[in-house]
Amino acid sequence: MLNKDHPRYQSLVYRDKIVKAHQQGILADSGMIAHGRGETFDYLIGEKTTPNSQNTIDIAACYFLTSKKPVLSVNGNTTALVSEDVAELSKLLDIPIEINLYYRTPERIRNIEKVYTDLGVKELLGTDEDDFIDTPDLNGPRSPVSIEGIKKADLVFIPLEDGDRAEKLSALDKDILNIDLNPLSRTAQTSTVTIVDNIVRAMPAIITSINKYIDYDKKDLQEKIDNFDNKTNLNNAIQDIIKRFE
Ligand code: PTJ
């Protein structure tokens, strides 16, 4: 049905994935709105990974390779767009995936669980069989986290999510990695590292970057991390947008 000659073909392909994920009970109704918001910011950044964002992707790779217990937190939108990449990252680093939904229903949990088990993921947390504990000072459906997963993690990857959690997880002395096309969002502003890029480009780029750094000395990776500042990264992302329209 999709015409490959259409000037916005790629965008139509991702919209199609979003619509199908909604029909399959993976995506929340609001997930469509979230996707539209993302498209707007992607348009503003030029629909490509900027040099600043590539640098941030490299820093995220350094965090993954130096942390002791990373966990990949996934929701409906992330699953709709990049489930294969998430599964690949989980296998590459041998780390768990934890389902954590804002619009949590048993049916959506089962549907998302099936996506990752079909992709061969071994350690899948956050399902209805898991043991949960609330995140301090956080109300709502995202508060309960897996005791074996996010609760014990020193690094939590929370791509593409609403703004009530990053700040509370950071307060627990965890490093928070995030992918968000909106550099002004609360999650972007309160994460340790924010990749301002489309998740469909950022996820494969993170995997490439991890493979690039995998044999590096941990001290060299730590040095890169120590020289990174998320506020500067976010300011650069905003400046990159402004410069495009000057
Ligand atoms: O699956 P659930 O129930 O957990 O719900 C997930 C959504 C995404 C619906 C929920 O977390 C939500 O409402 O999120 P928000 O508040 O819309 O925030 C989503 C953020 O992701 C916004 O800042 C968007 O700009 C950004 N975003 C949207 N699409 C992309 C994106 N960032 C990167 N890549 C995208 N493709």
Side-chain angles (χ1 to χ4, degrees):
M1 286 283 282
L2 298 179
N3 173 10
K4 285 196 174 166
D5 298 333
H6 193 285
R8 300 205 48 74
Y9 174 70
Q10 272 309 324
S11 165
L12 295 178
V13 168
Y14 293 122
R15 282 189 177 194
D16 194 51
K17 279 192 165 201
I18 287 287
V19 170
K20 289 206 170 100
H22 187 255
Q23 288 163 350
Q24 289 161 359
I26 291 166
L27 198 90
D29 295 350
S30 278
M32 297 218 181
I33 300 167
H35 185 78
R37 179 148 60 169
E39 278 190 340
T40 310
F41 279 99
D42 205 14
Y43 212 86
L44 291 176
I45 71 167
E47 294 176 309
K48 56 181 191 302
T49 305
T50 62
N52 178 64
S53 292
Q54 181 56 55
N55 178 58
T56 315
I57 285 165
D58 288 341
I59 298 298
C62 294
Y63 267 94
F64 273 121
L65 291 168
T66 51
S67 64
K68 292 192 177 60
K69 203 177 175 340
V71 171
L72 308 172
S73 179
V74 295
N75 62 15
N77 287 61
T78 295
T79 304
L81 292 173
V82 290
S83 56
E84 283 98 346
D85 297 306
V86 175
E88 189 179 336
L89 183 54
S90 158
K91 288 177 204 169
L92 176 65
L93 296 174
D94 194 17
I95 59 176
I97 294 174
E98 179 166 336
I99 305 171
N100 180 283
L101 303 183
Y102 189 78
Y103 302 97
R104 190 180 176 105
T105 64
E107 195 200 351
R108 285 190 67 216
I109 294 288
R110 276 197 305 277
N111 294 336
I112 292 173
E113 188 178 352
K114 185 169 178 336
V115 170
Y116 291 106
T117 46
D118 285 355
L119 287 167
V121 171
K122 297 272 176 302
E123 206 181 348
L124 189 57
L125 304 169
T127 64
D128 282 347
E129 291 78 48
D130 209 341
D131 293 322
F132 292 93
I133 185 162
D134 277 331
T135 304
D137 300 323
L138 180 64
N139 295 320
R142 280 203 196 282
S143 181
V145 294
S146 167
I147 291 173
E148 287 307 312
I150 291 174
K151 165 71 179 153
K152 291 189 180 167
D154 61 343
L155 180 151
V156 192
F157 181 55
I158 55 162
L160 209 166
E161 87 172 31
D162 49 281
D164 64 344
R165 201 160 72 120
E167 196 178 2
K168 308 297 177 192
L169 291 175
S170 297
L172 299 173
D173 248 2
K174 298 179 192 297
D175 290 317
I176 308 304
L177 305 189
N178 166 238
I179 303 172
D180 193 331
L181 276 160
N182 177 4
L184 300 168
S185 79
R186 278 181 66 83
T187 304
Q189 296 282 334
T190 53
S191 293
T192 319
V193 176
T194 304
I195 299 165
V196 182
D197 199 8
N198 197 319
I199 198 168
V200 301
R201 293 187 297 269
M203 280 302 298
I206 291 172
I207 292 169
T208 302
S209 186
I210 289 175
N211 282 318
K212 181 172 78 181
Y213 287 123
I214 206 153
D215 292 325
Y216 274 51
D217 195 320
K218 296 262 189 295
K219 265 195 211 148
D220 294 336
L221 302 183
Q222 191 57 50
E223 202 178 305
K224 285 181 186 294
I225 289 173
D226 293 342
N227 287 328
F228 175 81
D229 174 49
N230 204 37
K231 284 276 168 277
T232 308
N233 161 47
L234 291 171
N235 286 340
N236 289 343
I238 294 164
Q239 286 307 319
D240 282 341
I241 295 174
I242 292 168
K243 279 187 216 142
R244 288 194 66 237
F245 299 98
E246 273 174 355

